[in-house]
Amino acid sequence: MESQNPMGPEPAQPLLGTRQRTEVLRASAALAEVAHGLSPSSRTALGALAAYRWALGDGVTAPITGFRTEGCPTVAVLTAEVDAAAVQWEGARKGTAAHDYLRGVHTALAWICGYTEKRP
């Protein structure tokens, strides 16, 4: 006979896209530790951090479109922001602050949505 939890079933971890919320929180915290200065990797990290904050529902607008959500955005809204970042990133001149920032936003949101396993 299977033992049952007297407190009821374990609550499911909330998902952001395809990732566990705690996984996104850990990724955001780790990235925040290295996002300093004005190097390209720092500008990319700042873009990723903006994407994480928005995806986590921190009350900020979407980093590319400025779309505002109540709480965490849905997968469809996250995907739309990934697409917007991709369009602008492709049009940005390489090596510019805008290009690096857009790359960070795109990479973070693509990872959250499960389109890549490459985490910023």
Side-chain angles (χ1 to χ4, degrees):
M1 183 169 161
E2 198 173 306
S3 168
Q4 291 192 359
N5 183 345
M7 301 298 287
E10 297 265 336
Q13 286 273 335
L15 291 178
L16 297 177
T18 62
R19 307 289 174 188
Q20 299 288 327
R21 180 177 177 78
T22 54
E23 188 178 11
V24 177
L25 283 168
R26 281 193 307 269
S28 179
L31 196 56
E33 291 181 18
V34 298
H36 301 7
L38 296 174
S39 71
S41 62
S42 296
R43 293 185 302 240
T44 301
L46 291 174
L49 283 171
Y52 286 150
R53 286 187 59 214
W54 174 65
L56 288 163
D58 285 348
V60 297
T61 60
I64 304 303
T65 63
F67 188 75
R68 194 175 281 282
T69 59
E70 291 291 324
C72 299
T74 65
V75 173
V77 173
L78 287 165
T79 299
E81 196 71 7
V82 170
D83 292 345
V87 167
Q88 288 191 27
W89 181 28
E90 289 173 4
R93 196 172 52 127
K94 289 184 180 184
T96 63
H99 181 269
D100 298 336
Y101 180 87
L102 289 163
R103 180 177 58 194
V105 170
H106 183 269
T107 303
L109 293 179
W111 175 75
I112 288 171
C113 290
Y115 301 134
T116 182
E117 290 303 311
K118 181 182 176 186
R119 186 184 88 188

